Amino acid sequence: MLHLKSETGPRWLEQVENHTDLVLIDHAHCEKKAAGTALNLLFAYVEDEELCREMTSIVNEELEHFHMVLQLLKKRGIPFRRLKPSNYGAQLHELIRNQEPQRAVDRLLVAGLIEARSCERFGQLRKHLPDAELRDFYDSLFESEARHHAVYVRLAKHFAPESEVMARLEELSAAEAAIIAAGDENARMHS
């Protein structure tokens, strides 16, 4: 369903355990960036009515999630601040082809893979975190991340035949798995 080629390993769960505050701050930034990605896609492909409608919905939902994470941070006395992001998103974006319509396909699939990895990570958090409030919080977000992934993959098929989209998704999924396996020294949602 999520088209991921790997599962999160114990290294990341250890990072979360040791630096939960940093992962929560990064999560807020991720929600904000996800809203920005959807808004950029809406601007880039205004001629696609369904895409515009879906991106509007995702922007609103991601901003709602951003504010939910901010409230959680405030409740826990964790100040929201700038953080150096992980290399995950930048490395995935380097894989996006330059020419349309391949660029549209890749932009949508990369966004979808980021949503899929977030969904998979939320699933890990809802199972493994000792904090019941955080387990419930990540459980509440799990389904929307999976839905966003499915929307992005479906919309990519507006720009290329399904067989091409699915073949490219396989390629990008393999690259995403390699990026996740390499990890990041900083504790982040996608480290």
Side-chain angles (χ1 to χ4, degrees):
M1 176 179 100
L2 294 176
H3 303 101
L4 295 174
K5 298 287 187 194
S6 68
E7 291 185 13
T8 292
R11 176 194 56 79
W12 183 74
L13 290 169
E14 186 177 318
Q15 281 185 318
V16 172
E17 185 179 319
N18 293 330
H19 303 284
T20 305
D21 58 335
L22 295 177
V23 173
L24 289 171
I25 293 167
D26 186 59
H27 180 191
H29 286 290
C30 289
E31 297 291 356
K32 181 174 45 92
K33 287 186 272 188
T37 295
L39 191 59
N40 286 336
L41 289 165
L42 188 153
F43 283 128
Y45 306 107
V46 295
E47 65 283 351
D48 188 319
E49 184 179 339
E50 182 184 2
L51 183 144
C52 290
R53 191 172 46 255
E54 293 285 10
M55 291 306 101
T56 299
S57 177
I58 289 175
V59 167
N60 290 331
E61 195 166 9
E62 298 291 12
L63 288 175
E64 180 182 334
H65 295 169
F66 170 64
H67 287 285
M68 289 168 64
V69 180
L70 289 181
Q71 288 174 351
L72 186 63
L73 288 169
K74 187 174 184 177
K75 180 179 179 182
R76 290 170 173 260
I78 302 169
F80 182 57
R81 64 184 199 282
R82 293 180 190 271
L83 282 183
K84 179 185 176 200
S86 71
N87 295 319
Y88 175 79
Q91 289 177 318
L92 281 174
H93 281 93
E94 288 174 6
L95 303 172
I96 295 173
R97 295 171 288 184
N98 292 325
Q99 298 299 313
E100 295 292 358
Q102 294 84 7
R103 181 171 174 75
V105 170
D106 287 0
R107 289 176 74 184
L108 288 159
L109 293 179
V110 164
L113 284 169
I114 293 169
E115 295 287 338
R117 182 58 65 187
S118 296
C119 180
E120 189 264 346
R121 293 270 163 107
F122 292 177
Q124 293 292 322
L125 293 173
R126 71 183 185 173
K127 288 182 206 170
H128 297 289
L129 282 173
D131 184 317
E133 180 185 32
L134 287 179
R135 282 195 314 266
D136 291 345
F137 178 70
Y138 283 105
D139 186 56
S140 74
L141 299 177
F142 181 84
E143 189 177 305
S144 68
E145 302 299 306
R147 185 173 14 83
H148 295 170
H149 166 71
V151 166
Y152 282 121
V153 172
R154 179 173 44 78
L155 291 173
K157 296 171 189 172
H158 289 199
F159 297 91
E162 182 172 4
S163 60
E164 288 179 29
V165 169
M166 298 312 290
R168 183 61 175 161
L169 181 56
E170 285 290 313
E171 293 171 9
L172 292 171
S173 295
E176 190 272 348
I179 293 166
I180 284 294
D184 196 293
E185 64 183 324
N186 297 310
R188 301 294 187 261
M189 186 55 70
H190 299 105
S191 59

